[in-house]
Amino acid sequence: MNSMIINLFYLVAALLFVMGIKGLTRPKTAVSGNRMAALGMLVAIVITLLDRQVIHYEVVFAGLALGALIGALMAAKIRMTSMPQMVAILNGLGGGASLGVAAASYLSFMAAGNELSSTTFIVANCAVMLAVLIGTVTFSGSAVAFGKLQEILPGQAIGFSGMKFVNLGLLLASLAAVFLLITGQAGIGGFILLVALSLILGVTLVMPIGGADMPVVIALLNSYSGIAAAAAGFIMGNTVLIISGALVGASGIILTRIMCVAMNRSLLNVLFGKMAVPDGNSIDADEVYKGKVTSSSPDEVSMMLEDAQRVVIVPGFGLAMAQAQHAVRELADTLVSRGVIVEFAIHPVAGRMPGHMNVLLAEAEIDYDAMKTMEQSNPNFCKTDVVIVIGANDVTNPMAREDKGSPIYGMPILNVDQAKNVVIVKRSLSPGFAGLPNPLFAMDNAVMLFGDGKQAIMDLTAALHEAA
């Protein structure tokens, strides 16, 4: 096939990728953006197969069929609460695929008996070793992230204060192995050592990061997988793989930066797995809650809502766990039918991955225009009659503003405590991912509606209908 035609189709695929990523930046265009990116990948795969001399097409098509079947089954069966785990798995598979391509290329070059000190070997090995290092770190790091999200591993930070120095040492040792392999001073033993060091580095990078920082980890690992894919593209001489990998890597880094700002974390702290350390004594839970928490019922909350003109619903991971998005939609529709203004205030890191709450609400066909960012919502809480918080613990915790001894001090939060009334739907007073008590629960304008998120919202909607 003519190289000009091939490059033209690669350009079309790259444009579809860019348009797809652009579409994914807004909930309203996310579906069409995802379809454009998928179409771009289809174009890239088809043109690559037509361009290459593939000896066994049946093996390629068997792999495509098997992968499509597995992907379709995963997409159909995965629960929305498990979506972060699925993203972690896919990131890991991307890194593992890049590792496989790099390993095959290196072993093939070695088997061919090429001169290790040749310029060609050194140039080619730069891409190979970069793919090995980043791909392996992504693979093992994603496996740990999956284990934490799936609660196979403890969700809290695991490590010690000097963990960042261990990570730095592993990184320097890995880079030394890369240098020796690139310059031909090490052989297959050095390659195995690099893989082993990278595997350990991936584990030690993610282990010290607790559940509250999982959105940052997922975005960062996504970026790693893109960079590894770009390196694999250099190895294979595939332009579209380089472009797509670079796009994923760049967008992942940008998203990671956004998440870090939203959580008041330094990107370097995340990269080296540095745990947040309190500057003083944190408030004790008994001191916060003792005799100050007010429990309520659906009937009492419904009376509060009857006089409300503006209601803001704040979704969190508790909503995802309870699968309460459809019940919330019914409650919102009931309030809107009575002339109440209803909006959804979404914190950038609510849930366990970026955009988790947006996807949940979109699944329940909630209007995209009703979903407001933290920056849009915060100025309006003081004008809100009732705020209903469903499982969003850390992102509404006033300790982030008031307690300098708290690990989350300085983290931007949703200022729900400024509303006239706050209703917190929660099973108990248990802490969120950060493991901190929430003074919001004990405030004079706040009441607790204890119970399963879905059932509590359904009971509240039923109480509203009965009072009508």
Side-chain angles (χ1 to χ4, degrees):
M1 183 177 290
N2 187 284
S3 60
M4 184 177 295
I5 296 176
I6 292 170
N7 289 331
L8 178 60
F9 275 104
Y10 279 165
L11 178 60
V12 171
L15 288 174
L16 287 169
F17 289 149
V18 173
M19 292 169 62
I21 291 178
K22 175 64 176 177
L24 291 171
T25 59
R26 296 181 59 195
K28 188 175 292 187
T29 57
V31 174
S32 60
N34 192 42
R35 288 172 179 167
M36 281 190 287
L39 177 60
M41 184 56 69
L42 177 62
V43 171
I45 291 174
V46 171
I47 201 67
T48 299
L49 290 177
L50 293 176
D51 177 36
R52 307 292 172 178
Q53 291 292 329
V54 181
I55 299 176
H56 300 292
Y57 272 106
E58 62 273 12
V59 176
V60 174
F61 288 125
L64 287 172
L66 180 60
L69 177 62
I70 294 174
L73 289 174
M74 288 177 65
K77 292 183 175 296
I78 192 75
R79 291 171 58 89
M80 288 305 302
T81 50
S82 301
M83 192 60 68
Q85 290 92 307
M86 183 177 179
V87 173
I89 290 175
L90 295 178
N91 285 340
L93 290 176
S98 299
L99 169 62
V101 170
S105 177
Y106 178 78
L107 295 175
S108 175
F109 201 95
M110 293 286 290
N114 289 279
E115 178 59 43
L116 297 180
S117 61
S118 67
T119 303
T120 302
F121 179 83
I122 292 176
V123 173
N125 242 9
C126 286
V128 169
M129 297 311 157
L130 182 63
V132 169
L133 175 59
I134 301 177
T136 308
V137 168
T138 304
F139 178 76
S140 59
S142 298
V144 174
F146 170 80
K148 282 176 171 282
L149 292 169
Q150 193 64 23
E151 299 182 354
I152 298 173
L153 298 172
Q156 70 269 23
I158 301 175
F160 48 90
S161 58
M163 183 69 93
K164 62 178 179 179
F165 299 109
V166 173
N167 291 339
L168 182 60
L170 287 169
L171 177 61
L172 292 176
S174 299
L175 292 176
V178 166
F179 175 78
L180 294 175
L181 286 163
I182 288 175
T183 57
Q185 300 178 53
I188 189 68
F191 184 83
I192 295 173
L193 177 62
L194 174 60
V195 173
L197 288 171
S198 301
L199 282 171
I200 297 171
L201 179 59
V203 172
T204 57
L205 277 173
V206 180
M207 273 295 189
I209 301 175
D213 286 338
M214 272 301 122
V216 180
V217 176
I218 291 175
L220 186 61
L221 290 172
N222 180 255
S223 176
Y224 286 168
S225 67
I227 297 171
F234 277 106
I235 297 170
M236 300 170 65
N238 189 291
T239 305
V240 76
L241 187 56
I242 296 172
I243 294 173
S244 60
L247 287 172
V248 173
S251 60
I253 284 292
I254 293 171
L255 184 58
T256 300
R257 175 59 182 165
I258 293 172
M259 294 296 103
C260 286
V261 171
M263 301 183 72
N264 193 37
R265 293 292 309 279
S266 162
L267 179 57
L268 285 178
N269 285 352
V270 176
L271 288 171
F272 289 99
K274 182 180 178 182
M275 296 174 287
V277 179
D279 295 326
N281 297 319
S282 295
I283 300 175
D284 181 72
D286 292 336
E287 179 185 343
V288 173
Y289 301 139
K290 187 176 181 181
K292 303 175 184 177
V293 176
T294 303
S295 179
S296 188
S297 67
D299 290 330
E300 293 174 348
V301 175
S302 70
M303 293 174 63
M304 189 186 300
L305 291 172
E306 284 181 7
D307 298 325
Q309 294 181 335
R310 179 185 178 86
V311 174
V312 175
I313 299 174
V314 179
F317 189 66
L319 180 142
M321 287 294 292
Q323 288 289 284
Q325 61 269 30
H326 294 284
V328 166
R329 163 65 189 275
E330 185 178 351
L331 172 63
D333 287 346
T334 300
L335 291 171
V336 170
S337 68
R338 300 185 176 194
V340 179
I341 298 174
V342 179
E343 293 180 349
F344 294 82
I346 302 175
H347 193 279
V349 294
R352 286 187 171 181
M353 64 179 288
H356 196 181
M357 295 300 103
N358 300 78
V359 173
L360 276 175
L361 298 177
E363 182 194 20
E365 299 182 351
I366 290 172
D367 189 0
Y368 294 122
D369 294 331
M371 303 180 198
K372 305 298 181 180
T373 64
M374 178 175 64
E375 291 75 16
Q376 292 173 319
S377 300
N378 274 345
N380 295 321
F381 280 123
C382 60
K383 298 178 287 186
T384 301
D385 296 302
V386 181
V387 172
I388 302 176
V389 180
I390 310 174
N393 196 332
D394 298 326
V395 298
T396 61
N397 195 330
M399 290 176 69
R401 296 194 312 256
E402 302 161 0
D403 183 10
K404 293 184 178 180
S406 166
I408 64 171
Y409 180 71
M411 182 181 85
I413 62 169
L414 292 166
N415 298 321
V416 299
D417 55 315
Q418 296 177 1
K420 183 177 179 181
N421 296 287
V422 184
V423 179
I424 301 103
V425 180
K426 212 171 182 299
R427 287 181 179 273
S428 66
L429 294 175
S430 60
F433 291 139
L436 301 171
N438 191 341
L440 173 68
F441 301 167
M443 289 187 172
D444 293 337
N445 62 336
V447 296
M448 302 294 300
L449 184 57
F450 290 112
D452 174 76
K454 181 178 181 180
Q455 189 59 51
I457 296 298
M458 290 174 63
D459 291 343
L460 179 55
T461 304
L464 280 172
H465 285 301
E466 290 176 3

